[in-house]
Amino acid sequence: MIGKTFTTVLGGRELSIETGKLAKLVSGSVTVRYGDTLLLVTAQASDTQSKLDFLPLTVEFEERHYAVGKIPGSFQRREGRPGEKAILSARITDRQIRPLFPKGYRHETQVIITVLSADGQNAPDVLGPIGAAAALSVSDIPWAGPTACVRVGQIDGQYVVNPTTEQLTRSRMDLVVAGTREAVMMVECGAQTVSEDDLVGAIEFAHAEMQGVIALIEQMRAEVGHEKFNFLAEEGPATDYVPELTEKAKAAGLRDALLTHGKKDRSARLKALRNGLIESYVPDPTAEGSAELTQALKDAFGKVEKRELRRLILEENLRADGRDSKTVRPIWIEARPLPTAHGSAVFTRGETQVLGVTTLGTERDEILIDDLTAESGDKFLLHYNFPPYSTGEVKRMGGQSRREIGHGNLAKRAIRAVLPSFEEFPYVIRVVGDVLESNGSSSMGTVCAGTLSLMDAGVPLRAPVAGVAMGLVMEGEQYRVLTDILGLEDALGDMDFKVCGTAEGVTALQMDIKVGGITPQIMREALAQAKEGRLHILGKMAEVLAAPRSELSPTAPRILSLKINPELIGKVIGPGGKQVRELEAMGAQVTIEEDGTVRIFSASGESAEAVKARIEAVTKEARVGEEFEGTVVKIAPFGAFVNLFPGQDGMLHISQLSEQRVENVEDVLTVGDKLKVKIANIDDRGKIDLIRPELEGKVPLREPRAPRGGDRGPRRDSDRGGDRGPRREFSDRGPRPEGARSERPEGQRTERPATAPATQESSQSSDAPTTPVFPRRED
């Protein structure tokens, strides 16, 4: 038998992990199956330790379109660069496994997750981390797992583990949690404004549910796991200098240098202090071995700096810029700094500054999502940009990094929860967060700046959203949670915990840690402290914009909506789209949905109104009882045809012209006359009978037209003779003149006038119907 399969139950469905069957040359290889979703996950490490000063781990999430029976929509018809969903899925796995590699491990390591089959209901993104944990556990790669990952939803007040795609549409939260047997390690969440208590409850529920998966991977490791290879954690000579350098640095003013306000000034003082200490050890930089010693001293000083910063936080409740653990940096905000943008705002918190810009577009601007999900469009876009100048650096600029995509997605989830529905506000919305300065928490600055720019544009948000980044410093049992962390505190601390929400609750959450996990108690404390910070920031935002502007931005385009009868869509489109092209030539874009919803988009309000009026005229429908100021467009012996609105006429019978008998319509009306009329009846084929409102009740109403034979519907006034006049009203042939059927020589045709004169009998109005004259076939 090839391969061995291990199974457990997760969320009421079987989860199976198989190893030893596919990709057997790799260090660790497993397949994970959940429903009909199947993933291949491999883990491989290089044989030699690299010289890099960081963990060289890469995680790839490969979506194969054959997994859902699709051919890729790209020009080459093959998978290319990973899409946003794949990148976010890879980040979930990376953030779960990275903290558990041993300190000093520098072997290049690669985890590749390939989606082989996707059933559309069981999402592969939370199965990838399970597969990665299993592959690393059975491989020879040193790793302190296992871990597991689950998704939690909340439906009708109940937590649901790994909800299906359909269930997720009804859930108040989309929470992804990863952890070890002892603690939670990673959290990612988007929510519809849920309370902090609900979130902590969901995280605890997730941690309990993943224990069966962790036990399964431990069983796999015990039965089929390989022995881990040994590696040398090269500490280098830096460690030897740390004790001595610590004392010298403190004596030289390390504490004061760390508490310097301002990133540039603080960096300059620390650099000057470090260089002074190095000079005492390396008087001649050109001497042999000086370069190696200098680097060792720099590394040692970094360790000393980190220890002193953490000591200040834990023992003195002092941070790098002099704040205590709960203080938010100073905030200033400017609304509408860009004169031509639809909405804009600058949000500055300390030395982190973000320019948020909102642009409003039409349905044609929505982005098409072509991944393993059903093809769909997204009408809300948020793009986060992190240029090198924001940190005072020079770097090559290219496409968006994975970090930028991840930060942008977090801000997007935070704001999406408060956006109006497309029916309420029929615009495609794009928000761009350009980071102008960065010293910690630029993604949370994007949430605040993006919210302000939306309100500046006049987008009717349900509530303002703000975000704050929390940190953690923990030594043994002692710890301290930090509000609004600096970049230095992010780098030297143990946690980056970002919380976004309104005054009522949380809309998005992201947590990454560098230690083995945190307890629910720390989680509760961090969320409570984050709420204090969030409310403070929302208060500062309200001082500038307390709510969305009451009017749409003057530079924003206008969208008008109207509803028409779906059967009349063809009239709006016109033959070959001619009518739509004429409408768009008036300065607007027109979109029409199958249910008859028409949206008109124009940069000019006047153009939009003109196009709307044109569509209303083309699609207007008459209703019984409506009154119009009509124009006589045609006179007939039996009455007058009156135009009610463009494209719609009605017939006013001769009997409805006056209380007295009228012999000739021309005695009362002429073409071009305007008069008030009222719709008395509309037959099944849409023909309209009119009356004069002032004669209503004084002149007997005509009986509705009787239906014709079979299923052809009621007979119209113009279909037969009698009091409805001669046939010539609707046929240019008219009744046949006397003698028109005279004999003619064989082979000759009898010429007939195009329009024969009406006989005296046919022109008289009578209550008794006349017998129509039909032409005889002449074979």
Side-chain angles (χ1 to χ4, degrees):
M1 179 179 177
I2 299 178
K4 188 168 185 178
T5 302
F6 301 81
T7 63
T8 187
V9 175
L10 180 62
R13 283 157 284 169
E14 183 180 85
L15 171 74
S16 66
I17 306 177
E18 185 177 28
T19 186
K21 182 178 179 180
L22 302 180
K24 296 186 292 297
L25 295 180
V26 74
S27 177
S29 170
V30 300
T31 56
V32 182
R33 180 165 183 167
Y34 196 56
D36 283 336
T37 296
L38 180 67
L39 281 68
L40 170 66
V41 185
T42 61
Q44 182 66 50
S46 63
D47 294 332
T48 57
Q49 186 96 322
S50 73
K51 298 299 182 181
L52 299 172
D53 60 352
F54 60 88
L55 171 63
L57 169 68
T58 57
V59 178
E60 305 292 343
F61 193 94
E62 298 289 309
E63 292 183 324
R64 296 290 184 255
H65 282 63
Y66 58 65
V68 290
K70 288 170 57 177
I71 294 176
S74 64
F75 179 76
Q76 285 143 357
R77 294 295 184 267
R78 68 173 298 166
E79 293 83 1
R81 183 177 184 268
E84 184 173 301
K85 178 66 175 176
I87 290 173
L88 295 172
S89 299
R91 280 173 56 84
I92 288 175
T93 299
D94 188 299
R95 289 156 52 198
Q96 169 187 315
I97 65 177
R98 184 176 290 271
L100 298 182
F101 283 92
K103 185 177 181 180
Y105 177 82
R106 293 294 182 266
H107 290 259
E108 287 195 48
T109 304
Q110 187 176 50
V111 174
I112 300 177
I113 304 162
T114 307
V115 182
L116 303 179
S117 176
D119 61 13
Q121 289 300 312
N122 298 290
D125 58 348
V126 292
L127 301 180
I130 293 175
L136 286 167
S137 293
V138 301
S139 74
D140 63 351
I141 301 171
W143 186 65
T147 58
C149 181
V150 297
R151 171 176 272 112
V152 174
Q154 187 182 42
I155 303 173
D156 299 328
Q158 300 296 316
Y159 296 129
V160 180
V161 64
N162 281 2
T164 63
T165 302
E166 185 279 326
Q167 288 177 315
L168 207 54
T169 62
R170 298 183 279 118
S171 175
R172 293 189 64 230
M173 67 172 69
D174 179 4
L175 173 72
V176 176
V177 182
T180 63
R181 184 174 290 282
E182 295 79 20
V184 172
M185 299 184 55
M186 187 277 299
V187 179
E188 179 89 26
C189 181
Q192 297 296 320
T193 315
V194 299
S195 69
E196 282 79 3
D197 287 341
D198 281 349
L199 271 177
V200 173
I203 292 169
E204 291 178 329
F205 173 78
H207 190 243
E209 289 292 325
M210 69 177 64
Q211 296 306 311
V213 180
I214 293 173
L216 182 72
I217 298 175
E218 288 176 340
Q219 179 188 352
M220 290 182 61
R221 181 175 60 189
E223 294 187 21
V224 299
H226 298 286
E227 182 180 354
K228 305 299 182 182
F229 66 76
N230 292 321
F231 73 97
L232 295 176
E234 298 179 3
E235 292 290 339
T239 305
D240 300 335
Y241 291 98
V242 169
E244 182 180 347
L245 206 59
T246 298
E247 297 303 319
K248 289 187 175 182
K250 287 182 178 181
L254 177 60
R255 182 180 186 277
D256 291 340
L258 283 171
L259 295 178
T260 303
H261 285 274
K263 180 180 179 180
K264 284 188 175 181
D265 292 341
R266 183 167 53 253
S267 296
R269 285 193 64 179
L270 288 170
K271 184 177 180 180
L273 191 153
R274 184 196 65 186
N275 290 343
L277 292 173
I278 291 175
E279 286 178 6
S280 66
Y281 285 91
V282 188
D284 182 9
T286 61
E288 185 178 354
S290 294
E292 292 77 6
L293 179 57
T294 299
Q295 185 59 51
L297 290 167
K298 286 183 178 180
D299 294 341
F301 185 83
K303 295 177 185 293
V304 171
E305 179 185 346
K306 178 178 179 179
R307 290 180 181 180
E308 178 62 13
L309 178 65
R310 293 169 68 89
R311 187 199 66 78
L312 283 170
I313 291 171
L314 289 173
E315 297 180 8
E316 301 185 40
N317 195 18
L318 279 176
R319 300 163 65 179
D321 56 359
R323 287 180 293 151
D324 63 20
S325 61
K326 294 186 178 181
T327 301
V328 177
R329 289 172 288 175
I331 293 172
W332 73 264
I333 298 166
E334 181 181 355
R336 196 167 291 180
L338 307 184
T340 60
H342 299 164
S344 60
V346 173
F347 178 85
T348 306
R349 180 172 54 213
E351 294 177 304
T352 295
Q353 184 178 78
V354 181
L355 171 65
V357 185
T358 292
T359 307
L360 305 178
T362 68
E363 287 176 276
R364 301 181 185 183
D365 297 312
E366 71 178 358
I367 186 170
L368 179 64
I369 300 172
D370 182 25
D371 55 19
L372 299 188
T373 61
E375 283 192 11
S376 60
D378 194 348
K379 295 180 174 60
F380 175 49
L381 317 174
L382 192 147
H383 297 142
Y384 167 96
N385 298 316
F386 193 85
Y389 64 75
S390 64
T391 54
E393 296 176 283
V394 177
K395 293 181 180 178
R396 182 177 179 273
M397 294 185 66
Q400 272 191 307
S401 68
R402 292 191 171 196
R403 176 184 175 276
E404 287 175 296
I405 291 173
H407 281 22
N409 181 68
L410 175 61
K412 180 178 181 179
R413 299 180 86 175
I415 295 175
R416 188 193 287 277
V418 299
L419 290 176
S421 68
F422 189 71
E423 289 68 28
E424 296 170 316
F425 190 74
Y427 287 89
V428 169
I429 302 171
R430 183 188 186 221
V431 174
V432 175
D434 280 321
V435 181
L436 308 182
E437 301 173 17
S438 179
N439 186 14
S441 193
S442 59
S443 62
M444 298 297 92
T446 300
V447 172
C448 300
T451 297
L452 289 162
S453 73
L454 286 163
M455 294 197 295
D456 179 57
V459 178
L461 301 182
R462 296 185 179 91
V465 178
V468 61
M470 311 299 294
L472 175 72
V473 173
M474 184 164 58
E475 297 288 349
E477 297 296 322
Q478 188 180 12
Y479 69 89
R480 196 178 296 276
V481 176
L482 308 177
T483 298
D484 183 25
I485 58 175
L486 299 170
L488 184 62
E489 293 166 339
D490 185 8
L492 304 183
D494 299 320
M495 178 181 74
D496 183 8
F497 191 9
K498 301 181 178 73
V499 186
C500 315
T502 67
E504 301 300 321
V506 176
T507 59
L509 183 76
Q510 186 180 93
M511 184 191 77
D512 295 301
I513 64 169
K514 302 172 187 175
V515 291
I518 64 172
T519 64
Q521 173 57 34
I522 297 177
M523 185 84 68
R524 289 180 187 277
E525 185 176 333
L527 283 169
Q529 195 167 313
K531 184 175 182 180
E532 293 178 13
R534 186 172 78 245
L535 293 175
H536 170 77
I537 296 165
L538 285 169
K540 293 293 184 181
M541 292 167 61
E543 293 175 6
V544 180
L545 275 178
R549 298 191 189 276
S550 57
E551 296 290 335
L552 202 64
S553 169
T555 60
R558 267 45 182 174
I559 288 184
L560 301 179
S561 299
L562 67 153
K563 194 89 168 182
I564 65 172
N565 186 337
E567 296 179 359
L568 300 178
I569 291 176
K571 294 183 70 174
V572 179
I573 296 175
K578 178 182 178 183
Q579 176 75 8
V580 166
R581 289 195 296 272
E582 290 179 357
L583 292 172
E584 296 195 342
M586 296 170 65
Q589 293 181 11
V590 179
T591 62
I592 308 172
E593 298 180 6
E594 292 182 358
D595 65 352
T597 300
V598 181
R599 293 189 178 91
I600 304 158
F601 178 95
S602 176
S604 165
E606 293 181 1
S607 297
E609 292 289 352
V611 171
K612 181 180 179 181
R614 175 85 170 266
I615 293 174
E616 287 176 336
V618 170
T619 60
K620 185 173 178 61
E621 295 183 276
R623 303 270 188 264
V624 172
E626 283 187 299
E627 294 187 7
F628 296 89
E629 184 74 24
T631 303
V632 178
V633 293
K634 190 172 185 180
I635 300 293
F638 51 82
F641 288 90
V642 181
N643 179 250
L644 308 178
F645 48 83
Q648 185 65 66
D649 295 347
M651 199 277 287
L652 181 64
H653 193 263
I654 191 172
S655 65
Q656 305 296 313
L657 295 179
S658 174
E659 293 183 59
Q660 290 77 36
R661 181 179 176 84
V662 176
E663 296 295 337
N664 295 300
V665 179
E666 290 88 342
D667 294 339
V668 180
L669 296 173
T670 59
V671 173
D673 285 351
K674 295 186 180 298
L675 72 162
K676 184 174 288 188
V677 291
K678 182 178 180 179
I679 298 176
N681 178 57
I682 303 175
D683 71 11
D684 290 348
R685 292 188 295 171
K687 296 301 181 181
I688 297 173
D689 282 337
L690 302 174
I691 59 173
R692 300 185 72 171
E694 64 269 22
L695 299 179
E696 195 170 10
K698 300 177 182 179
V699 177
L701 293 176
R702 302 178 64 224
E703 293 293 329
R705 303 164 193 175
R708 305 163 102 189
D711 59 354
R712 299 173 63 187
R715 184 170 59 186
R716 304 170 66 90
D717 286 345
S718 57
D719 291 335
R720 293 291 187 265
D723 64 351
R724 287 170 288 277
R727 284 175 50 80
R728 67 186 175 93
E729 183 57 44
F730 292 93
S731 171
D732 61 0
R733 292 183 299 176
R736 186 181 298 278
E738 186 176 353
R741 295 176 185 165
S742 59
E743 297 293 332
R744 68 178 186 274
E746 187 175 353
Q748 291 185 356
R749 293 181 58 86
T750 301
E751 297 298 329
R752 184 180 299 127
T755 304
T759 62
Q760 184 177 358
E761 290 78 13
S762 66
S763 64
Q764 293 176 348
S765 175
S766 171
D767 292 335
T770 60
T771 303
V773 180
F774 293 97
R776 182 178 61 186
R777 284 191 62 184
E778 297 174 354
D779 297 324

